[in-house]
Amino acid sequence: MAEAGMLGPFRGTVVHDHWKPYFTYDKCDHALCNAHHLRALRFIDTQSHQAWANDMAALLVESKAAVEATPAPAMRLAPPALLAFETCYDARVQAGFDANPVPVLTTEGEEKKRGRPKQPPPVNLLLRLRDFKGQVLACMSDFRVPFDNNQGERDIRMVKVKQKVSGGFRTLEGAQRFGRMRGYLSTARKHAKNVFEAIQDAFEGSPFIPSPAMAVKADDIGALNLPG
């Protein structure tokens, strides 16, 4: 990742799926994708029938709605609302641990296995929700941070579709051209530019370029989505 220059001088908040190598980037802040959490909670609710999972999913969705309902120019939830969400969050995490008690240690005479004991999926998720609470709830404290990293997923989707259909690119130049075209269309869409008009402008020699007012320096970027 370092050799590819994936982040470069980025100093904002990286939104990702908790893949451990991402945390080696210590010059930026981190937030965790709640779309991944919602999928994991849905699995636990349907497979293990643990009520806390459905309750936690509902809380995360409610927090997203609260952020979207907060009018500008606010950039974070009001302290009382933030405290209420955090208190409820802690209670539901504890309910999860109560539903998944620590198993009894190995009996005397049995050989103790080396390393950290393997945990069931509900406990692994609970540990993440407990230990990375600030990263899970980051979107409530800073509205520049998105609720999930779906944007990162969308940005690489066409590359993965191309790989699936064609198996890859025949030349490096072809891959670079494909990346430039998809990047151009993605940039136009993010700035609410009609994609067909952007294509027409490009063919007419005046491609869409974000104005200086739209542009931001890397150090000022609020969040970056990394695919998971």
Side-chain angles (χ1 to χ4, degrees), residues 41-54:
L41 290 166
R42 187 181 306 115
F43 174 81
I44 294 171
D45 178 42
T46 57
Q47 298 297 318
S48 302
H49 305 291
Q50 298 186 9
W52 72 268
N54 186 60

Side-chain angles (χ1 to χ4, degrees), residues 76-98:
R76 59 177 298 169
L77 289 183
L82 189 58
L83 178 60
F85 272 113
E86 290 179 344
T87 301
C88 191
Y89 179 94
D90 292 339
R92 294 183 185 184
V93 168
Q94 185 58 51
F97 280 114
D98 292 342

Side-chain angles (χ1 to χ4, degrees), residues 27-142:
K27 302 299 183 182
C28 58
D29 294 323
H30 296 262
L32 298 181
C33 170
N34 283 306
H36 286 79
H37 295 148
L38 290 177
R39 287 196 291 269
L41 290 166
R42 187 181 306 115
F43 174 81
I44 294 171
D45 178 42
T46 57
Q47 298 297 318
S48 302
H49 305 291
Q50 298 186 9
W52 72 268
N54 186 60
D55 293 341
M56 178 61 82
L59 180 67
L60 293 178
V61 172
E62 184 182 349
S63 72
K64 181 175 185 292
V67 169
E68 294 172 347
T70 303
M75 291 301 295
R76 59 177 298 169
L77 289 183
L82 189 58
L83 178 60
F85 272 113
E86 290 179 344
T87 301
C88 191
Y89 179 94
D90 292 339
R92 294 183 185 184
V93 168
Q94 185 58 51
F97 280 114
D98 292 342
N100 295 274
V102 178
V104 179
L105 297 176
T106 54
T107 58
E108 188 175 339
E110 292 185 9
E111 183 179 355
K112 186 176 180 180
K113 295 182 179 180
R114 297 178 61 184
R116 192 167 50 183
K118 184 177 180 180
Q119 302 285 4
V123 174
N124 284 328
L125 180 60
L126 284 164
L127 291 172
R128 180 193 303 181
L129 295 175
R130 182 194 67 188
D131 298 341
F132 294 88
K133 172 183 172 181
Q135 290 85 349
V136 175
L137 303 179
C139 65
M140 296 194 298
S141 301
D142 185 349

